[in-house]
Amino acid sequence: MKKTLLKVIAVIVIIVVVCLFVVAKWVRGGPQPGTVLDEARAVSRAPDSFPAADEDYFHDMDSGVALTPVEVKGRNTWNVWTGGNDRFWDKISVNSVGTVDLLKTLSSYPGAISSDPNNKMKFSRDNRWNYLGLVNEPCFEKPSAPDPERFGLWLDRRKPDCPADPFENESKYPGVVTGSRGKPLPAGTKSMPKDGKMPVGSYYGYATGIVGLRLFPNPDFDEAAARNWNPEKYYTDPGYYNSKDLVRPYRVGMSCAFCHVGPNPVMPPENPEQPEWKNLSSNVGAQYFWIDRILDWQANPSSFIFQMFHTSRPGSLDTSLISTDNINNPRTMNAIYNLGARLDQAGRFGKETLALNQGSGLNKQFNDYVPAADPLARFYTPPATALVPRVLKDGSDSVGALGALNRVYINIGLFSEEWMLHFNPLAGGKPTTPILIADARKNSSYWGATEAQTPATALFFLKSTAPHKLADAPGHESYLSTDAAVLDRGKVVFAENCARCHSSKLPTPDAPKKIYDGQGCSGPDYLKCWDDYWQWTKTDEYKSKMRAIVTAPDFLDGNYLSTEFRVPVTLLQTNACSPLATNAIRGNIWDNFSSDTYKDLPSVGAITVYDPVTGDPKQYQMPGGGRGYTRPASLISLWSTAPFLLNNSVGAFDPDPSVTGRMHSFNDSIEQMLLLKPREKDSVLGDKGVGLIDRTSQLSYIRVAPGYLPDSLKGWGHWLLPSVFAEDGIELGPIPRGTPVGLLTNLMILPEEMGLWARFQHDRQLVALVFDVKHKLGELGPAPSDPREQEAYNKRAQDVFRPLAERLMALSKCPDYVVNRGHYFGTGYDGEPALSEDDKRALIEFLKTF
């Protein structure tokens, strides 16, 4: 009788939960998309009240390139403009249940962060580069005590002998007066500014000591928040800082520099923890940052969130992390080289059709800013034809250079008031809808200001993105070959095998090729054009013409060293999660930033994936509608950009940004790329020849601290779900060591492009799977504290989890878990002869000269 009653109660609970889910899914509450204003527009700040800064503060950067006043503004926009996204990063600290806390990332607090005296922060200014991979801003020093005028925070201090940061000038760049900004703070507020008021600040915020992060007074820091503020507890008391109601006195904004500024390869710092501006470049990409440690400030490997972030190798990041598409997809930070040559390539092969007078057709183009006779005007022909560089690795940023730049600002939080209404940040779980350019233009002053500033940024990159050549780096003599015969042979090997994807200088075919006709071919017939081109590159005609181009003395001059074609993943054989990304497909979040041409691309067919438990191969049919393609990477400055592949999975990472460190990584990576040495194999399936699969490194759990639980759950959660609630909040797990991370992170929560019945069937399978996973893992009981017993416990957890893997794989948005496979050209692949070891060695010597 008791068991029957429990079953009835369980069924009732499930019905209630399902009903609540349906109501939450289909009934929208709160602000509606298209109706909200950003903080600036809400207080009547117009876009033109945010002019770009004109001080040439960064004049020593980028090898000291001379810039015009407009180009100076463009660099300033790139390095310090955050577009109001400090609001977004503050909200994310709550959405991530405290995992992300950029105010902690900025800090150098030396004490314990809990009751355990040995539990301390793993980073400070002293090791920020080596541990986090973040660039210490010149002219700052580590704090020796809490700042008495910055609410007791342990923030970097500007050196007294350095010039002031001009972007902090709130008279010239007045901040947005909203909320508590400019208002008196209540008496007794700890460590407040001398005048007793909440600052307003400038619209560029304050320098923080980390390049790319800026500090802004928090307008939500009102009287109640000020009375509650305790800087000691903010660092030491998890019960205090793990509260969704905690209001910090500052918000942290992020500029593009955070992900793109790094050490100059030809002018590296003597000590990477203490660079000077002359040692930094605006365009190389954050090749060294550890996103797992940055976005999880405690970096606790027993947290599954950390395990997920840890799949992002240094210098890589899943750009759909926030507006999640439920595909774990870390990709390298884009370096920006030879923008002029890249635009020339767009003019030849980058034809894209945009939506007419709506959606993608509303993106700004160079024509909106330059006269008709200007060379930049040729990249757009009204009403809807654009010649574009395809910026993201899957080629989805396909609306023009300015649209691509502007989209990035939204992706890092601009107009978060609107953006975050279109998806459930980080977790997903509700239908995603497109953010509309029309709404941004109507309701966001920060968006309007960004649109006005990015043309200057593009002009800056046209001036400043020359290659960093090894020949210009200190000590290059030790690494460059002087053997003319070897270099000549390397040129021939490159011409015959590599240039078809990695040269913007290409031969003209005797017989017309559709891919060359009318700025290339695109849309539903693209694969026919591609196949015709690819087969031609195997002919003697192509190879002889390409040899002449590559062996010419000016081959590298103005060469972007990429074609920017869309290469089908069926040919590349690289990990499919990047070309499976759904953010830019029709009706998804970036719908307005991808072309109709992209959305009309056909399916590339089926690929082979591998069961992560058995290693058995399986066929997976790639969807169309834009997915399935990768644009070839540029090989400019290849010597300085290892490890390789789109996710930095091939080759050894070396945190040393010196020429020696870069060449160490290059040599190991290029030999793995060309299979002169084996690539890393999977720790479980290596004997079956399966490449590397990212697996959890230890038992881990999905945790939610008590302070982040909804108030309603705090009352009845322990009674309703006792196996889920731990003493310190919710704990889901254990997830055994060795679990493929992608099995969980790629689970298709909300499928796109399914009919009503198919979606019902999918949801039924998903619910059953989640219940089974929770039930079976719950039967294991709590993990033992004795390390000797933990191995046996983990083995039992693996045994429980193993039978569920196939079901998880069947419901995956990307069932491809091998991260370091593909790009097998020159190894006897695709019906072509394999290169000899001597040819591969000669090719490497030539690649070093790029």
Side-chain angles (χ1 to χ4, degrees), residues 257-273:
F258 184 73
C259 291
H260 290 279
V261 167
N264 187 325
V266 300
M267 203 177 294
E270 291 184 14
N271 179 356
E273 301 288 358

Side-chain angles (χ1 to χ4, degrees), residues 9-65:
I9 293 172
V11 170
I12 293 172
V13 169
I14 291 171
I15 292 172
V16 170
V17 170
V18 170
C19 290
L20 289 173
F21 173 77
V22 171
V23 170
K25 184 173 179 179
W26 296 109
V27 179
R28 285 186 178 272
Q32 299 299 300
T35 67
V36 296
L37 306 179
D38 72 7
E39 287 182 338
R41 184 63 60 90
V43 294
S44 301
R45 284 287 294 267
D48 60 8
S49 71
F50 299 99
D54 56 6
E55 293 89 351
D56 194 9
Y57 180 72
F58 302 111
H59 55 83
D60 288 341
M61 289 182 70
D62 305 306
S63 300
V65 62

Side-chain angles (χ1 to χ4, degrees), residues 199-353:
V200 174
S202 92
Y203 55 76
Y204 288 114
Y206 305 111
T208 62
I210 294 179
V211 174
L213 295 181
R214 307 286 295 184
L215 198 67
F216 295 82
N218 189 347
D220 296 328
F221 195 74
D222 55 16
E223 289 193 11
R227 291 193 180 94
N228 181 57
W229 176 246
N230 187 313
E232 292 84 6
K233 287 186 175 183
Y234 173 67
Y235 289 113
T236 63
D237 184 355
Y240 179 81
Y241 60 68
N242 280 332
S243 168
K244 68 180 185 300
D245 299 318
L246 177 64
V247 179
R248 298 156 180 79
Y250 292 106
R251 305 192 308 206
V252 181
M254 182 183 294
S255 73
C256 291
F258 184 73
C259 291
H260 290 279
V261 167
N264 187 325
V266 300
M267 203 177 294
E270 291 184 14
N271 179 356
E273 301 288 358
Q274 299 179 26
E276 300 179 45
W277 288 119
K278 68 180 181 181
N279 302 128
L280 301 178
S281 172
S282 300
N283 64 292
V284 293
Q287 299 167 259
Y288 296 87
F289 74 4
W290 299 76
I291 204 64
D292 52 349
R293 301 170 182 179
I294 295 168
L295 293 188
D296 185 349
W297 69 274
Q298 297 191 74
N300 180 357
S302 71
S303 162
F304 181 75
I305 302 302
F306 175 85
Q307 295 287 342
M308 179 189 73
F309 287 156
H310 192 59
T311 65
S312 293
R313 288 156 177 80
S316 68
L317 168 69
D318 182 356
T319 56
S320 60
L321 175 67
I322 306 299
S323 54
T324 180
D325 58 359
N326 293 113
I327 297 177
N328 187 39
N329 173 28
R331 293 175 274 190
T332 56
M333 296 294 99
N334 282 326
I336 304 170
Y337 282 115
N338 269 8
L339 181 58
R342 189 174 192 180
L343 289 176
D344 288 342
Q345 184 79 346
R348 192 177 183 189
F349 300 115
K351 183 180 179 181
E352 303 277 342
T353 300

